[in-house]
């Protein structure tokens, strides 16, 4: 999947389970999902996704800048709708995972794990001294999710708050 390649995938056959778990899988079976590593995404779709997960909107101009500075972007699509994404920023010694999001209608269906596995595959053999991510405090369950992939909470993070600006403020 190099160079912005896209490929289709489908979930394994469904086994009878709870109706809530089957709803999106059934949709996925009918409509083949598509994955992509293309960095040029429809910017309005990213804002719709981040708004749906509770992060708000950054706007097309900011997303264009963000994506251009990302070393890897992985996205999941249901037909022409962006349903999940994650991205990586690397500097040669360290890297960070950012904006890992799955639309609420598609959560708990394995798409978040698919995103994480693809991001990890990009960096696992690069011998970085640090591979990190920020977990959103608005979703405390995400810590346990990231721990499944080997991430550990660390207490060494700090921010230069006096020069920071809240998102959405010009």
């Amino acid at each position: 999947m190099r160079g912005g390649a896209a490929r289709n995938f489908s979930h394994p056959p469904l086994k009878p389970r709870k109706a809530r778990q089957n709803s999106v899988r059934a949709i996925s079976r009918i409509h083949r999902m598509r994955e992509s590593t293309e960095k040029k995404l429809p910017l309005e779709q990213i804002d719709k996704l981040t708004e749906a997960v509770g992060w708000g909107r950054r706007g097309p101009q900011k997303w264009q800048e963000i994506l251009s500075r990302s070393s890897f972007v992985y996205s999941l699509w249901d037909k022409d709708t962006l349903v999940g994404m994650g991205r990586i920023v690397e500097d040669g010694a360290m890297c960070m995972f950012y904006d890992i999001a799955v639309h609420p209608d598609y959560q708990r269906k394995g798409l978040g794990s698919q995103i994480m596995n693809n991001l990890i595959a990009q960096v696992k053999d690069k011998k970085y001294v640090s591979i990190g991510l920020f977990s959103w405090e608005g979703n405390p369950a995400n810590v346990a999710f990231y721990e499944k992939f080997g991430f550990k909470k660390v207490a060494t993070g700090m921010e230069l708050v006096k020069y920071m600006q809240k998102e959405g403020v010009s």
Side-chain angles (χ1 to χ4, degrees), residues 4-80:
R7 68 178 186 217
N8 291 323
F9 71 94
S10 55
H11 289 280
L14 294 173
K15 295 178 185 175
R17 291 189 186 187
K18 298 176 189 170
R20 151 182 96 71
Q21 291 177 333
N22 285 339
S23 61
V24 172
R25 284 192 180 154
I27 292 169
S28 297
R29 218 174 32 172
I30 295 166
H31 307 292
R32 292 180 59 91
M33 299 284 286
R34 177 174 56 91
E35 59 185 350
S36 175
T37 57
E38 176 63 49
K39 286 172 61 170
K40 292 186 178 190
L41 302 177
L43 305 175
E44 182 61 31
Q45 290 239 16
I46 302 172
D47 265 344
K48 285 181 182 178
L49 175 61
T50 59
E51 192 169 48
V53 298
W55 298 347
R57 301 169 83 83
R58 290 182 174 153
Q61 190 172 16
K62 183 53 94 175
W63 277 116
Q64 189 170 3
E65 178 184 356
I66 289 168
L67 294 176
S68 72
R69 294 179 183 202
S70 300
S71 54
F72 180 75
V73 177
Y74 180 81
S75 58
L76 292 170
W77 299 81
D78 185 354
K79 292 190 174 183
D80 294 328

